Every structure is written in structure tokens, then in C-alpha cells.
Amino acid sequence: MNTPVLKILYEDNHLLVVNKPSMLPTMGTPGGCPTLLSLAKQYVKQRYNKPGNVYLGVMSRLDAPVSGVVLLARTSKAAKRMTEQFRTHAVDKLYWALVEGTVRPASGALVDWVGHDERHRRMHVVGPTLPGAKEARLSYKLISTLEGCSWLEVRLETGRKHQIRLQLSHHGNPIVGDRKYGGRASFPHGIALHARRLCVSHPTTGAALEFEAPPPDAWRRFDTKLDFT
């Protein structure tokens, strides 16, 4: 397996923003397998000739089969301030998803209660009174319909594990390629979920920052009618 090349979207003394390829774990894999975090640390160490260990804090983690914008903090001070922005929902997280079937209505909001199935390492929609249940909220808008599927813009309001994948599947439109959550259609690489845009405030200057990542080539290979302009 070839080691992926990091695609840098933004960097300064406080932040590093990358476009994560699908099938690369963000962090935390056993056995020394490459992760986005390990590659990013290697990049910072080499680029800035850093001695010793490199600090990077993952602020926006993505599932391994998901591509798109990932924000990392280069200092603990930046990490603390960015964590507070995410905690207070002061960030704007927008995703693209290709889902099976035609989505109706063309725009709306999904609200569910979700819980974690440790045994099968997946999430489920559960009753609100179940111990450990957490509210999951998102809104969506149909961008266009393709043959047999729909292209959605999804905005996360909460950040639950596998939230978009679970909720879209639960409401009848699993993400293309996502076998774990009921998808039947195949996708060239990973699944058709992409963290398209992330808007935050800079941790030291307070300036508004917008990071946008182009989707992988697999999206265009899936259907040539897709227009990313």
C-alpha cells in the first residue's frame, strides 16, 4: 500500500488543515499503520525541522472511509480554543453525500436519538429514554438527482459518531458504498461522504476562516454528470 500524500488546505503557526483521502484513518490505529495524524506530524517535523515529538491536536475527526476537511491544532492553546468553538457549536460543518434513491422532501431536518453498539462497533437509532442515548440533529438540501441516487448537502448540528451515515440510512437513503449502514450500491473507493467545508474563527486573531476541500476523483468516476464548480 502506498503512503498517501497529504493535501494541505491551510497552515500557519496555530492551525493545519488537510483534505483527508478516503480509507485513511484519522488517528488511533494499532500496529503502526499510517494515519492522518501520523502523516501530519511527519510533515510538520520535516517542513519546520522540529526536534523531538510534534504536537498536533485533532479538532475534526472523520471516519476512515470518509474524505474531506480535517482541522488540526498546532499548539495546545489553539486546541483549547478550537475545542470550545466545537463545544458551543460555533463552527459550521457542511458535507456532501451521494445517497441511494430519491430524497423526499428535497430539504428538511432529521432529529433522532442514537446509541452505540459496542459489540458490533456501530451506532443505532434508539429511544430517547435508553441509557446513554444522545440527540442527533442535521439538516439537508438536495443538490441534484442522478441515476438511482441523490446528491445532498448536509449540515451537522450535532457531532455524534457515524451520525450522517446512520441517520440518512435510517430514513431510507443510505450513503452509496456504505455497507456498514445498509448501502447496496458500490463506490470506487471508501464511501460517498465528503466533508466539503468547515468554517471557524482563528484561535488567536478571531478572523473568520473557511476551508473547502474538493471531493476525490472517485466522485466524478461514479457519475460524469457531477459538477463541482
Side-chain angles (χ1 to χ4, degrees), residues 154-174:
V154 179
R155 182 164 270 107
L156 271 182
E157 297 180 25
T158 55
R160 310 307 180 198
K161 184 180 178 68
H162 298 178
Q163 180 181 333
I164 297 175
R165 302 166 65 184
L166 171 62
Q167 285 192 276
L168 292 178
S169 177
H170 179 73
H171 290 272
N173 299 100

Side-chain angles (χ1 to χ4, degrees), residues 39-103:
L39 294 177
K41 286 185 175 182
Q42 183 180 13
Y43 166 81
V44 170
K45 188 178 184 67
Q46 293 177 349
R47 177 172 173 80
Y48 298 100
N49 195 26
K50 290 276 191 180
N53 294 327
V54 171
Y55 174 86
L56 282 177
V58 177
M59 299 292 100
S60 56
R61 185 171 180 170
L62 297 178
D63 300 337
V66 181
S67 59
V69 179
V70 173
L71 172 67
L72 303 108
R74 290 191 56 196
T75 68
S76 57
K77 183 178 180 179
K80 182 177 180 180
R81 292 181 176 179
M82 298 311 302
T83 297
E84 183 64 12
Q85 288 188 45
F86 280 90
R87 188 188 71 80
T88 58
H89 307 293
V91 302
D92 185 38
K93 297 177 282 186
L94 187 140
Y95 291 73
W96 279 354
L98 294 177
V99 300
E100 297 179 18
T102 301
V103 175

Side-chain angles (χ1 to χ4, degrees), residues 116-197:
H116 191 202
D117 181 346
E118 295 282 356
R119 180 180 176 185
H120 297 99
R121 301 180 67 182
R122 56 173 290 163
M123 302 294 287
H124 292 281
V125 171
V126 298
T129 60
L130 190 76
K134 295 182 178 180
E135 189 179 27
R137 303 187 309 276
L138 62 78
S139 60
Y140 70 87
K141 181 173 68 176
L142 180 67
I143 298 175
S144 69
T145 56
L146 306 168
E147 187 173 344
C149 68
S150 302
W151 178 11
L152 301 180
E153 178 181 276
V154 179
R155 182 164 270 107
L156 271 182
E157 297 180 25
T158 55
R160 310 307 180 198
K161 184 180 178 68
H162 298 178
Q163 180 181 333
I164 297 175
R165 302 166 65 184
L166 171 62
Q167 285 192 276
L168 292 178
S169 177
H170 179 73
H171 290 272
N173 299 100
I175 292 171
V176 172
D178 195 1
R179 307 268 182 196
K180 190 179 188 78
Y181 287 98
R184 290 173 294 179
S186 61
F187 193 68
H189 198 249
I191 65 175
L193 180 61
H194 178 71
R196 171 62 170 172
R197 188 165 67 237

